[in-house]
Structure formats: structure tokens, C-alpha cells
Coordinates of all heavy atoms in Angstrom, one line a residue:
Q1 N -3.1 20.8 -12.1 CA -3.5 21.6 -11.0 C -4.0 20.7 -9.8 O -4.2 21.2 -8.7 CB -4.5 22.7 -11.4 CG -3.9 23.5 -12.5 CD -4.7 24.8 -12.6 OE1 -4.9 25.5 -11.7 NE2 -5.2 25.1 -13.8
L2 N -4.4 19.5 -10.2 CA -4.8 18.5 -9.1 C -3.8 17.3 -9.3 O -3.6 16.8 -10.3 CB -6.2 18.0 -9.3 CG -7.3 19.1 -9.2 CD1 -8.6 18.4 -9.4 CD2 -7.3 19.7 -7.8
V3 N -3.3 16.9 -8.2 CA -2.4 15.8 -8.2 C -2.9 14.7 -7.3 O -3.1 14.9 -6.0 CB -1.0 16.2 -7.7 CG1 0.0 14.9 -7.7 CG2 -0.4 17.2 -8.6
E4 N -3.2 13.5 -7.8 CA -3.7 12.4 -7.1 C -2.6 11.5 -6.7 O -1.6 11.3 -7.4 CB -4.8 11.6 -7.9 CG -6.0 12.4 -8.3 CD -6.3 12.3 -9.8 OE1 -5.4 12.2 -10.6 OE2 -7.5 12.4 -10.1
S5 N -2.8 10.9 -5.5 CA -1.8 9.9 -5.1 C -2.5 8.9 -4.2 O -3.6 9.1 -3.8 CB -0.7 10.6 -4.3 OG -1.2 11.3 -3.1
G6 N -1.7 7.8 -3.9 CA -2.3 6.8 -3.0 C -2.8 5.5 -3.6 O -3.2 4.6 -2.9
G7 N -2.9 5.5 -4.9 CA -3.4 4.3 -5.6 C -2.4 3.2 -5.6 O -1.3 3.3 -5.0
G8 N -2.8 2.1 -6.2 CA -1.9 0.9 -6.2 C -2.6 -0.4 -6.2 O -3.8 -0.4 -6.6
L9 N -1.9 -1.4 -5.8 CA -2.5 -2.8 -5.8 C -2.8 -3.2 -4.4 O -1.9 -3.1 -3.5 CB -1.4 -3.7 -6.5 CG -1.8 -5.2 -6.4 CD1 -3.0 -5.5 -7.2 CD2 -0.6 -6.1 -6.9
V10 N -3.9 -3.8 -4.2 CA -4.3 -4.2 -2.9 C -5.2 -5.5 -3.0 O -5.8 -5.7 -4.1 CB -5.1 -3.1 -2.1 CG1 -6.4 -2.8 -2.8 CG2 -5.3 -3.5 -0.7
Q11 N -5.1 -6.4 -2.0 CA -6.0 -7.6 -2.1 C -7.4 -7.2 -1.7 O -7.6 -6.3 -1.0 CB -5.4 -8.6 -1.1 CG -4.2 -9.3 -1.6 CD -3.8 -10.5 -0.8 OE1 -4.1 -10.5 0.4 NE2 -3.3 -11.6 -1.4
A12 N -8.3 -8.0 -2.2 CA -9.7 -7.9 -1.8 C -9.8 -7.9 -0.3 O -9.2 -8.7 0.4 CB -10.5 -9.0 -2.5
G13 N -10.7 -6.9 0.2 CA -10.8 -6.8 1.6 C -9.9 -5.8 2.2 O -10.1 -5.4 3.4
G14 N -8.9 -5.3 1.5 CA -8.0 -4.4 1.9 C -8.4 -2.9 1.8 O -9.6 -2.7 1.4
S15 N -7.5 -2.0 2.1 CA -7.9 -0.6 2.1 C -6.8 0.2 1.4 O -5.6 -0.2 1.3 CB -8.0 -0.1 3.6 OG -9.0 -0.7 4.3
L16 N -7.3 1.3 0.9 CA -6.4 2.3 0.3 C -6.9 3.7 0.6 O -8.2 3.9 0.8 CB -6.3 2.2 -1.2 CG -5.4 1.1 -1.8 CD1 -5.6 1.0 -3.3 CD2 -4.0 1.3 -1.5
R17 N -6.1 4.7 0.7 CA -6.5 6.1 0.8 C -6.0 6.9 -0.3 O -4.7 7.0 -0.5 CB -6.1 6.7 2.2 CG -6.8 8.1 2.4 CD -6.5 8.7 3.7 NE -5.2 9.4 3.7 CZ -4.9 10.4 4.5 NH1 -5.9 10.8 5.4 NH2 -3.8 11.0 4.5
L18 N -6.8 7.5 -1.1 CA -6.4 8.3 -2.2 C -6.4 9.8 -1.7 O -7.2 10.2 -0.9 CB -7.4 8.2 -3.4 CG -7.6 6.8 -4.0 CD1 -8.6 6.9 -5.2 CD2 -6.3 6.2 -4.3
S19 N -5.4 10.5 -2.2 CA -5.4 12.0 -1.9 C -5.4 12.8 -3.2 O -4.9 12.3 -4.3 CB -4.0 12.3 -1.2 OG -4.0 11.6 0.0
C20 N -5.9 13.9 -3.1 CA -6.0 14.8 -4.3 C -5.6 16.2 -3.8 O -6.4 16.9 -3.1 CB -7.4 14.9 -4.8 SG -7.7 16.1 -6.1
A21 N -4.4 16.7 -4.2 CA -3.9 17.9 -3.7 C -4.0 19.0 -4.8 O -3.6 18.8 -5.9 CB -2.4 17.8 -3.3
A22 N -4.6 20.1 -4.4 CA -4.8 21.2 -5.3 C -3.6 22.2 -5.3 O -3.1 22.5 -4.2 CB -6.1 22.0 -5.0
S23 N -3.3 22.7 -6.5 CA -2.1 23.6 -6.5 C -2.5 25.0 -6.0 O -3.6 25.3 -5.8 CB -1.6 23.7 -8.0 OG -2.6 24.3 -8.8
R24 N -1.5 25.8 -5.9 CA -1.7 27.2 -5.4 C -2.7 28.0 -6.3 O -3.3 28.9 -5.8 CB -0.3 27.9 -5.4 CG 0.6 27.5 -4.3 CD 1.9 28.3 -4.4 NE 2.9 27.9 -3.4 CZ 4.0 28.5 -3.2 NH1 4.3 29.5 -3.9 NH2 4.8 28.1 -2.3
S25 N -2.7 27.6 -7.6 CA -3.6 28.4 -8.5 C -5.1 28.2 -8.2 O -5.9 29.0 -8.6 CB -3.3 28.0 -9.9 OG -3.5 26.7 -10.1
I26 N -5.4 27.1 -7.4 CA -6.8 26.9 -7.0 C -6.9 27.5 -5.6 O -6.4 27.0 -4.6 CB -7.1 25.4 -7.0 CG1 -7.0 24.8 -8.4 CG2 -8.5 25.2 -6.4 CD1 -7.2 23.3 -8.5
F27 N -7.6 28.6 -5.6 CA -7.7 29.4 -4.4 C -8.4 28.7 -3.2 O -8.0 28.6 -2.1 CB -8.4 30.8 -4.6 CG -8.4 31.7 -3.4 CD1 -7.2 32.2 -2.9 CD2 -9.6 32.0 -2.8 CE1 -7.3 33.1 -1.8 CE2 -9.6 32.8 -1.7 CZ -8.5 33.3 -1.2
S28 N -9.6 28.2 -3.5 CA -10.3 27.4 -2.5 C -11.3 26.4 -3.2 O -11.6 26.6 -4.3 CB -11.1 28.4 -1.7 OG -12.1 29.0 -2.4
I29 N -11.6 25.4 -2.4 CA -12.4 24.3 -3.0 C -13.8 24.5 -2.4 O -14.0 24.5 -1.2 CB -11.8 23.0 -2.6 CG1 -10.4 22.8 -3.2 CG2 -12.8 21.9 -3.0 CD1 -9.7 21.6 -2.7
N30 N -14.8 24.6 -3.3 CA -16.2 24.6 -2.8 C -16.7 23.2 -2.5 O -17.2 22.9 -1.4 CB -17.1 25.3 -3.8 CG -16.9 26.8 -3.9 OD1 -16.3 27.4 -3.0 ND2 -17.4 27.5 -4.9
A31 N -16.6 22.4 -3.5 CA -17.1 21.0 -3.4 C -16.1 20.1 -4.1 O -15.3 20.6 -4.9 CB -18.5 20.9 -4.0
A32 N -16.2 18.8 -3.9 CA -15.3 17.9 -4.5 C -16.0 16.6 -4.7 O -16.9 16.2 -4.0 CB -14.0 17.8 -3.7
N33 N -15.5 15.9 -5.7 CA -16.0 14.5 -6.0 C -14.9 13.6 -6.4 O -13.9 14.0 -6.9 CB -17.0 14.6 -7.2 CG -18.2 15.5 -6.9 OD1 -19.2 15.1 -6.3 ND2 -18.2 16.7 -7.4
W34 N -15.2 12.3 -6.3 CA -14.3 11.3 -6.8 C -15.2 10.5 -7.8 O -16.3 10.2 -7.5 CB -13.8 10.4 -5.8 CG -12.7 10.9 -4.9 CD1 -12.8 11.6 -3.7 CD2 -11.3 10.9 -5.2 NE1 -11.6 12.0 -3.2 CE2 -10.6 11.6 -4.1 CE3 -10.5 10.4 -6.2 CZ2 -9.3 11.7 -4.1 CZ3 -9.1 10.6 -6.2 CH2 -8.5 11.2 -5.1
Y35 N -14.6 10.2 -8.9 CA -15.2 9.3 -10.0 C -14.2 8.2 -10.2 O -13.0 8.2 -9.9 CB -15.4 10.1 -11.3 CG -16.4 11.2 -11.2 CD1 -16.2 12.4 -10.6 CD2 -17.7 11.0 -11.8 CE1 -17.2 13.4 -10.5 CE2 -18.7 12.0 -11.7 CZ -18.4 13.2 -11.1 OH -19.4 14.1 -11.1
R36 N -14.7 7.2 -10.9 CA -13.9 6.1 -11.4 C -14.3 5.6 -12.7 O -15.5 5.7 -13.1 CB -13.9 5.0 -10.4 CG -15.2 4.2 -10.2 CD -15.1 3.2 -9.1 NE -16.3 2.4 -9.0 CZ -16.6 1.6 -8.0 NH1 -15.6 1.4 -7.0 NH2 -17.7 0.9 -7.9
Q37 N -13.4 5.0 -13.4 CA -13.7 4.5 -14.7 C -12.9 3.2 -14.9 O -11.7 3.1 -14.9 CB -13.3 5.5 -15.8 CG -13.8 5.0 -17.2 CD -13.8 6.1 -18.2 OE1 -13.1 7.1 -18.1 NE2 -14.5 6.0 -19.3
A38 N -13.7 2.1 -15.1 CA -13.1 0.8 -15.4 C -13.0 0.6 -16.9 O -13.8 1.2 -17.6 CB -14.0 -0.3 -14.7
P39 N -12.1 -0.3 -17.3 CA -12.0 -0.5 -18.8 C -13.3 -0.9 -19.4 O -14.0 -1.8 -19.0 CB -11.0 -1.6 -18.8 CG -10.2 -1.5 -17.6 CD -11.2 -1.1 -16.5

């Protein structure tokens, strides 16, 4: 129900923009967060 995009490989100092699109079944978003997990 959430689809993330925009990741990939970048050099240090570079930029990326991640997107998280909610499906129709999610009526509205109150709040949102991003988390990360390294190995």
C-alpha cells in the first residue's frame, strides 16, 4: 500500500530524493516518517 522509489547509488556529497506513494486504500495521511536500517 506504500511504494517507495528514488533510491540507488550516489557518490558521497551527492543527492537523492526518495518518494513514498500511498495507494487509494489509504484515505489520508496524518503524519509520516522515514526510517533507515544499515546491515
Side-chain angles (χ1 to χ4, degrees):
Q1 305 197 50
L2 295 178
V3 178
E4 296 131 328
S5 61
L9 173 64
V10 65
Q11 285 191 326
S15 299
L16 284 174
R17 188 176 84 152
L18 304 183
S19 298
C20 172
S23 67
R24 290 183 181 181
S25 62
I26 296 175
F27 183 68
S28 66
I29 298 172
N30 287 347
N33 299 280
W34 285 94
Y35 290 78
R36 68 185 180 189
Q37 188 166 19

